[in-house]
Amino acid sequence: MMQFRNGYIYFSVLSVNLMSMVCAIGYAWTSPALPKLDGKLGTENNPLSRPTTVLENSWITSLHSLGAAFCPLFIGIVANKYGRKNTLIIFSLPMLASNVLLIFANTVPHFYIARLLMGVGTGCVFSVIPLYVAEISSVKNRGFTSMFLSVMMSFQQLLIYIIGPYVTIRILAIISLIPSILFLILFGLFVPESPYYLIMDNRRDEAVKSLTKLRQISENKAEKEILDIIDSVEKSKTGTSLKDVIKSKIVFKCLYISIGLMFFQQFTGILAILPYLQTIFDATNTSIPGDISVMIIGLLQLLTTSLTSKIVDIVGRKKLLIASNMGVFLSLVSLGTYFYFQANNFDVSKLYWLPISSIITYTICYNFGLGPVVWTIVGELFPPNLKTYLNGIATFFNIMCGFVISMLFPSLSIVLGMAWSVWIFAIFTAFSFAFFALFVPETRGRTFLEIQCMLREGKIK
């Protein structure tokens, strides 16, 4: 059973992940908002003077990913110069501005700008928070604390799914300001900088104070762990020039594993399904209202990510990934089959249970592995002195994949039909089995230095 003796670490992780909750609003917002903007819920719910078009909805959805994509390219420079904490605070401000703009938005460009601003902060969330959390956590609780991002995002998404259909876009934006304000207060005033960053910045005394506060221990005990951090940083150092990075086999190996994980995480179709949940459920023509189905999915997402946080340090990362992958594949095949029967005029009245059960299975399985565990592994792989740069590259790749999927899915579903649009994701999911089995290492219970040694020796178990 998890022991909460180091309570300040959990307070710190909770505080920093308030920014993750704002990020979750960006992903979940489209599900209740798009039916209002395109006029499906009546003109009185639309702050615009006319319904939005399919293309405008695609841009409103995908600009979030586009804004997030460019942030990781330079976030490493900012995080290494100004620190993890200051970087997170700086990039939380565009997210705050996004929801302020949504309160007053009454033209399509307003929504474009708001979504782009939300995306800028989202890129920082996935680039910096997993690294910050990994750096302040101990080996024993690192897997558990890494799950807070996914759990808190799932919780916030559930709130949006529950509240969103019944309030206006303006009221939803006002509610969405709450986690941003709490983040700036709690994280900004009470949470210390990462001791790893402080050591890399040659600020040993501050690193000791940070670790003392995080662990709630004496400075003498903190000194012992600081020595381990110094050893880890020194032994894992790699040249920071582009030439040195290209030549480094260990860096190349970390990078291709991370990029592979990011690619297959996105091409399971999560950003085709999540932003368009209510639209997909409405398309199934089942008796269960789309907004109710979305709430069920949100609740299951929260429950499964919470359970994953309990078992990730027991079962291991790799086993969870492979088991999760299998369930996602089967659920995509069954969902595509339903849409195929529907499109070909089969009687699907007796299969009313299939679409929601498929998406329920998809949600459960995705959140057991592919969703949260991928970010856990990526946060553990890179050498400490290059983490922010290389994690930024991997995050950029992840978000650009998400942008392509969220932008093309509405048009693709019209051209190919919903069945083949879903089956394409199933095909990519099938290919990911081999990648996870052959190339992804097990990082459970290993220090950062041990992970680097394992990769150098070519071990993946």
Side-chain angles (χ1 to χ4, degrees):
M1 186 175 179
M2 183 64 61
Q3 298 295 319
F4 289 89
R5 287 173 295 183
N6 297 330
Y8 209 89
I9 289 180
Y10 301 111
F11 168 77
S12 300
V13 174
L14 281 167
S15 299
V16 73
N17 276 298
L18 286 165
M19 189 171 171
S20 301
M21 293 177 72
V22 186
C23 167
I25 293 170
Y27 283 111
W29 180 88
T30 52
S31 184
L34 289 185
K36 295 182 177 72
L37 293 175
D38 63 18
K40 290 180 180 177
L41 293 181
T43 56
E44 71 278 2
N45 295 298
N46 193 347
L48 303 175
S49 58
R50 60 170 178 81
T52 52
T53 65
V54 172
L55 181 60
E56 286 170 340
N57 282 345
S58 295
W59 277 112
I60 288 171
T61 301
S62 58
L63 278 171
H64 178 234
S65 294
L66 188 62
F70 293 103
C71 179
L73 293 177
F74 59 84
I75 199 71
I77 298 172
V78 178
N80 279 354
K81 184 174 182 179
Y82 298 104
R84 279 63 159 145
K85 179 177 178 177
N86 289 333
T87 300
L88 287 165
I89 291 172
I90 291 168
F91 281 89
S92 72
L93 299 179
M95 304 173 91
L96 181 69
S98 171
N99 282 311
V100 171
L101 180 56
L102 286 175
I103 296 172
F104 304 101
N106 56 17
T107 68
V108 172
H110 288 161
F111 286 94
Y112 288 165
I113 296 169
R115 296 290 290 165
L116 199 63
L117 287 171
M118 180 62 74
V120 170
T122 296
C124 179
V125 166
F126 290 121
S127 299
V128 181
I129 288 182
L131 300 182
Y132 176 81
V133 170
E135 289 176 352
I136 69 171
S137 303
S138 66
V139 174
K140 292 181 179 180
N141 66 12
R142 196 174 63 222
F144 177 68
T145 55
S146 72
M147 293 291 106
F148 277 50
L149 185 148
S150 296
V151 172
M152 293 180 72
M153 284 187 67
S154 297
F155 175 73
Q156 184 62 61
Q157 285 171 337
L158 175 60
L159 289 181
I160 296 299
Y161 294 151
I162 292 173
I163 298 170
Y166 307 108
V167 299
T168 65
I169 289 175
R170 289 188 176 94
I171 295 298
L172 186 60
I174 293 171
I175 294 171
S176 299
L177 289 174
I178 296 172
S180 286
I181 295 169
L182 287 174
F183 168 80
L184 290 171
I185 295 172
L186 297 179
F187 181 74
L189 297 179
F190 301 107
V191 178
E193 178 58 89
S194 157
Y196 270 85
Y197 165 75
L198 293 171
I199 289 297
M200 288 187 283
D201 199 42
N202 298 315
R203 293 153 63 183
R204 177 175 175 145
D205 290 344
E206 291 180 53
V208 171
K209 290 179 181 178
S210 171
L211 202 60
T212 300
K213 190 172 186 179
L214 288 166
R215 300 285 190 269
Q216 297 289 283
I217 55 178
S218 67
E219 289 193 5
N220 288 335
K221 290 184 178 180
E223 283 282 0
K224 295 180 181 179
E225 190 169 343
I226 286 295
L227 292 176
D228 292 335
I229 292 175
I230 293 172
D231 188 46
S232 176
V233 170
E234 290 298 323
K235 287 185 178 179
S236 61
K237 274 188 177 179
T238 309
T240 56
S241 71
L242 181 61
K243 184 178 179 181
D244 290 333
V245 169
I246 292 173
K247 284 184 176 181
S248 173
K249 292 182 179 179
I250 186 68
V251 170
F252 177 75
K253 185 178 288 188
C254 291
L255 200 54
Y256 81 69
I257 291 172
S258 297
I259 286 177
L261 285 166
M262 297 300 195
F263 176 84
F264 286 118
Q265 183 198 57
Q266 287 299 326
F267 274 83
T268 58
I270 187 63
L271 284 187
I273 291 176
L274 192 62
Y276 299 102
L277 270 177
Q278 190 161 337
T279 303
I280 291 172
F281 279 124
D282 289 340
T284 62
N285 294 320
T286 59
S287 59
I288 305 174
D291 55 346
I292 301 299
S293 299
V294 168
M295 292 179 199
I296 295 171
I297 296 303
L299 178 60
L300 286 169
Q301 196 171 10
L302 174 60
L303 293 175
T304 50
T305 50
S306 300
L307 181 57
T308 303
S309 70
K310 300 291 186 182
I311 64 175
V312 67
D313 282 324
I314 300 172
V315 176
R317 283 64 153 155
K318 189 168 180 174
K319 289 179 181 178
L320 283 174
L321 270 182
I322 293 174
S324 166
N325 209 55
M326 184 177 297
V328 165
F329 172 76
L330 293 174
S331 60
L332 287 170
V333 170
S334 62
L335 181 62
T337 301
Y338 177 88
F339 283 121
Y340 176 81
F341 287 154
Q342 186 186 55
N344 287 275
N345 299 317
F346 286 84
D347 181 11
V348 293
S349 60
K350 294 182 180 179
L351 296 176
Y352 65 91
W353 52 270
L354 186 57
I356 190 169
S357 63
S358 297
I359 296 182
I360 285 174
T361 304
Y362 178 96
T363 302
I364 291 173
C365 294
Y366 182 87
N367 287 289
F368 262 131
L370 284 167
V373 175
V374 162
W375 291 107
T376 299
I377 295 174
V378 171
E380 296 172 328
L381 285 180
F382 295 122
N385 65 316
L386 293 174
K387 273 189 177 186
T388 51
Y389 301 114
L390 299 179
N391 192 67
I393 294 172
T395 303
F396 168 78
F397 185 80
N398 177 286
I399 294 171
M400 283 306 297
C401 289
F403 168 73
V404 171
I405 290 168
S406 60
M407 182 65 188
L408 294 182
F409 179 74
S411 301
L412 197 67
S413 62
I414 293 172
V415 174
L416 298 180
M418 287 294 290
W420 273 106
S421 299
V422 172
W423 280 338
I424 287 172
F425 296 129
I427 292 169
F428 280 112
T429 305
F431 281 123
S432 65
F433 280 107
F435 180 82
F436 294 156
L438 296 175
F439 300 110
V440 177
E442 177 55 71
T443 58
R444 175 175 64 99
R446 292 184 168 95
T447 65
F448 292 140
L449 184 58
E450 288 171 341
I451 292 169
Q452 294 298 302
C453 293
M454 177 180 62
L455 290 170
R456 191 173 288 111
E457 295 168 4
K459 297 177 181 179
I460 63 169
K461 295 183 178 179

